[in-house]
Amino acid sequence: MAVKEPSWWYGAGPHWQTAALAPIAQIYGAIAERRYRQATATRSAFPVLCAGNFTAGGTGKTPLALALAGIVREHGGTPWFLSRGYGGRLDGQERVDPERHTAAEVGDEPLLLAQSAPTVISRDRGRGAEFIARQAKPGSVIILDDGLQNPSLTKDLSIAVIDAVRGFGNGAVMPAGPLRAPLAFQAGLVTALLVNTTSLATTHRAALALPPELAHLPVLHARAAPSGDVMWLTGARMVAFAGIANPARFFDLLRSYGATLIETIAFADHQALTDTDARHLLDLAQRHGCQLLTTEKDAMRLAGSSGALAELSTRATTLPITLQFENDDRQRLSDLVANALARRRV
């Protein structure tokens, strides 16, 4: 279900909603922690690497999962993605086939991941790992896209992605704030942190103050950037649209590469567009004489559509995103992966 996060989760200053929802947040956080501690986790036959985050919504987990897949290959392993399949209607365990499945069936993120490596969806991550183990060859590595707080599967390496600008929002647990569980509890679930910056400038690093609960963890820095040639963005007049957790980050990224955004249309995270939405976007582009541009995840939701949605899918340009690491941080991440794989071989 597509949901827009409350603006006051990240707004400056105190908000009455946070105070009003604090008792519910305390109960929610206690339940999340107890559920994790009381669960019996499955230990997969293969190493499990987790790309997660502390908050609801997007921070850049999928680009990290794709980066981990590349590193696994460098170490001689075969990556398999495991996803909950959020937004898809299929239940049980299913291997994603981009030629057959749609986002309505398996979710947009699994469709995107499946273009890079074998991908399985499963609400129960433990059963999903067992499903992979029955198909995968020796030397395979499971990469969990999200699921840091899921207790059903033991992880060998867990990286939490943090948005450098939004950080932890108001620091409260859902629904009073964006945290999925109390931060002190979540800190014990991760091996390292990846701060996803809008720029590698030190000003953005200074904007994020890590709380004491996370002070003991190694910190890596990277930023989301378009892959391949980006010169065409400079001076391009565009109508940009995105249905992701933080569409403003996508729009700011386009502007940072010189694009002129005549219109920006933000939809809810994972929102399935209607023909009316598609016609509106097509009309905007025609009226302004602009190019349509969207994210890879939005493009996945348009795949296999008909009518105005199919026309939108054809006319909209997609911007592939990759992670660019600061200094030697990709090597540091590679070392973390190598150590996790080595521990499983002992």
Side-chain angles (χ1 to χ4, degrees):
M1 181 175 60
V3 177
K4 282 192 175 182
E5 64 188 25
S7 59
W8 43 269
W9 276 5
Y10 294 97
H15 296 274
W16 65 266
Q17 296 97 328
T18 301
L21 292 170
I24 300 176
Q26 186 174 10
I27 295 172
Y28 182 94
I31 291 174
E33 183 172 351
R34 184 169 65 248
R35 171 176 170 266
Y36 192 97
R37 296 192 187 284
Q38 292 180 349
T40 300
T42 296
R43 185 162 180 82
S44 171
F46 297 123
V48 176
L49 315 180
C50 176
N53 66 352
F54 298 126
T55 59
T59 54
K61 298 185 298 295
T62 300
L64 173 59
L66 291 167
L68 286 171
I71 290 172
V72 165
R73 292 188 184 100
E74 292 170 5
H75 288 288
T78 302
W80 281 70
F81 292 116
L82 176 58
S83 171
R84 179 181 181 274
Y86 185 87
R89 64 173 178 266
L90 294 184
D91 205 352
Q93 290 72 53
E94 186 85 22
R95 181 167 175 177
V96 178
D97 182 355
E99 299 299 320
R100 178 169 60 92
H101 289 126
T102 65
E105 294 172 321
V106 299
D108 49 18
E109 290 167 348
L111 271 182
L112 177 59
L113 293 170
Q115 295 181 342
S116 174
T119 301
V120 169
I121 59 167
S122 177
R123 303 288 194 269
D124 186 316
R125 308 305 206 287
R127 290 185 177 180
E130 292 171 349
F131 181 84
I132 291 174
R134 291 193 293 270
Q135 303 182 52
K137 297 178 180 179
S140 294
V141 177
I142 296 173
I143 300 175
L144 195 59
D145 183 34
D146 206 357
L148 176 65
Q149 300 80 7
N150 187 287
S152 64
L153 183 61
T154 299
K155 294 94 171 174
D156 296 283
L157 174 69
S158 292
I159 310 292
V161 187
I162 306 170
D163 187 293
V165 175
R166 304 209 302 175
F168 310 95
N170 59 15
V173 174
M174 295 190 296
L179 289 177
R180 296 183 177 190
L183 190 58
F185 160 66
Q186 294 195 76
L189 306 180
V190 300
T191 314
L193 308 174
L194 174 67
V195 177
N196 190 359
T197 67
T198 54
S199 167
L200 294 183
T202 55
T203 52
H204 288 279
R205 189 182 301 187
L208 177 65
L210 291 177
E213 295 93 329
L214 305 178
H216 65 289
L217 294 166
V219 182
L220 312 176
H221 291 85
R223 67 182 176 97
S227 61
D229 177 36
V230 295
M231 294 300 294
W232 63 274
L233 288 171
T234 304
R237 299 174 72 254
M238 297 177 175
V239 170
F241 65 98
I244 56 179
N246 186 10
R249 184 172 59 193
F250 175 64
F251 301 146
D252 288 343
L253 177 66
L254 299 179
R255 294 187 183 99
S256 72
Y257 281 87
T260 300
L261 303 188
I262 305 302
E263 295 268 4
T264 58
I265 309 296
F267 297 99
D269 193 15
H270 301 286
Q271 181 173 337
L273 303 190
T274 65
D275 264 17
T276 299
D277 296 323
R279 291 191 192 96
H280 177 60
L281 289 165
L282 291 165
D283 289 345
L284 280 175
Q286 183 176 5
R287 187 188 320 151
H288 295 295
C290 291
Q291 182 177 357
L292 284 160
L293 189 66
T294 193
T295 72
E296 291 180 292
K297 290 183 184 179
D298 288 278
M300 293 297 104
R301 291 195 295 278
L302 293 173
S305 55
S306 59
L309 288 169
E311 183 180 354
L312 180 62
S313 177
T314 300
R315 290 186 52 189
T317 300
T318 302
L319 187 70
I321 296 295
T322 187
L323 279 182
Q324 292 185 355
F325 288 86
E326 179 178 345
N327 300 326
D328 63 346
D329 281 359
R330 189 182 187 281
Q331 183 59 52
R332 293 175 63 202
L333 178 60
S334 180
D335 292 343
L336 288 170
V337 171
N339 291 336
L341 300 183
R343 286 195 300 271
R344 287 301 299 268
R345 289 193 291 266
V346 174

